[in-house]
Amino acid sequence: MSAYRSAGTRAVLLVTAGILLTQCSTPPPAAEVVSPAEAAIAPLVSIRELMTYIIDPASDGVFDAVGADVTDAGVVETFPETDDDWAEVQRGALTMAEGMNLLRLPRRVAPADDNVAKNPGELPPAEVEAKIAASPELWASHIDRLQQEAMKVLDIVKARQGDQLFDAGSAIDAACEACHLDFWYPGDREAVERFNNSTTTFDPPAP
Ligand code: HEC
């Protein structure tokens, strides 16, 4: 009886296997099977879109974290206070740092349906692209620079050193501008340097 049962079970298994084999008789083409090692990272959006939707909003997480307002009571500085405030700074810094890696992947400069310079003084996307292709090391050095400045902010977050966010923000701003001046609006270099070197003085009115 037990022999019969086991034979019966085997028969059922064979039938099941037969059905499975029939169902699997048209396997997907081999090309669709991609091992993780072979999978390539394909860029989806342009540099312009990364800037507008990832890098620029991330930088605000650091830039907007501190403030200095001139009031009747003098200059009032504001710093991150709660854990949520600090998490926002951290989000911004690490999104910038890791987001820069996306610029190491060759990708189009602007979307296909918006492939023109938007403002006077800006190079058209085709020229930006040619510059990147001609100076890959310079391009990479700007990416490195912003990544290093953003990583410093992560240390500031860990140590909760709010007053250091002013200098860190300026260093990040300078890193953004340095890349833009080399690759996006090189004609503005002189004006930007004049502005950066200018000093503002304030003479309080005589009593
Ligand atoms: C490695 C180079 C590089 C760095 C670093 C960089 N950018 Fe850009 N960015 C570009 C290029 C190239 C463009 C021009 C793309 C185009 O034609 O619109 C651009 C464009 C922009 C734009 C305009 C997007 C638009 O809609 O026209 C903004 C805003 C911007 N960047 C913000 C930033 C900020 C903020 C930082 C620093 C936190 C930064 N970028 C750092 C290369 C860089």
Side-chain angles (χ1 to χ4, degrees), residues 70-198:
V70 182
T71 69
D72 291 344
V75 178
V76 176
E77 293 184 334
T78 46
F79 302 103
E81 285 170 12
T82 64
D83 284 351
D84 281 353
D85 293 345
W86 281 106
E88 184 61 15
V89 182
Q90 182 164 2
R91 181 196 65 77
L94 70 81
T95 306
M96 263 187 286
E98 193 70 49
M100 276 293 116
N101 281 333
L102 299 173
L103 293 186
R104 298 189 195 276
L105 194 64
R107 62 178 67 237
R108 49 180 316 136
V109 172
D113 60 358
D114 187 26
N115 204 21
V116 290
K118 289 168 82 179
N119 299 295
E122 295 170 7
L123 295 179
E127 282 183 45
V128 176
E129 204 172 312
K131 272 179 163 288
I132 297 170
S135 315
E137 284 169 14
L138 181 63
W139 179 251
S141 75
H142 285 300
I143 292 171
D144 294 342
R145 177 174 166 182
L146 182 53
Q147 279 183 322
Q148 282 157 16
E149 296 304 342
M151 293 305 286
K152 284 185 200 164
V153 174
L154 296 184
D155 292 336
I156 294 174
V157 171
K158 272 200 201 105
R160 297 287 196 260
Q161 293 165 318
D163 57 332
Q164 300 211 8
L165 287 174
F166 288 105
D167 283 350
S170 302
I172 286 171
D173 192 33
C176 309
E177 183 110 285
C179 186
H180 293 163
L181 281 171
D182 273 337
F183 289 95
W184 185 23
Y185 40 76
D188 286 3
R189 182 176 294 281
E190 209 185 305
V192 168
E193 279 169 4
R194 211 170 32 243
F195 174 80
N196 287 344
N197 294 333
S198 70

Side-chain angles (χ1 to χ4, degrees), residues 24-35 38:
C24 293
S25 62
T26 49
E32 280 180 27
V33 183
V34 180
S35 77
E38 290 165 334

Side-chain angles (χ1 to χ4, degrees), residues 45-86:
V45 299
S46 66
I47 293 175
R48 183 177 290 176
E49 290 157 294
L50 288 184
M51 290 290 151
T52 307
Y53 297 108
I54 296 183
I55 304 302
D56 195 53
S59 71
D60 288 339
V62 177
F63 296 149
D64 297 347
V66 283
D69 289 325
V70 182
T71 69
D72 291 344
V75 178
V76 176
E77 293 184 334
T78 46
F79 302 103
E81 285 170 12
T82 64
D83 284 351
D84 281 353
D85 293 345
W86 281 106

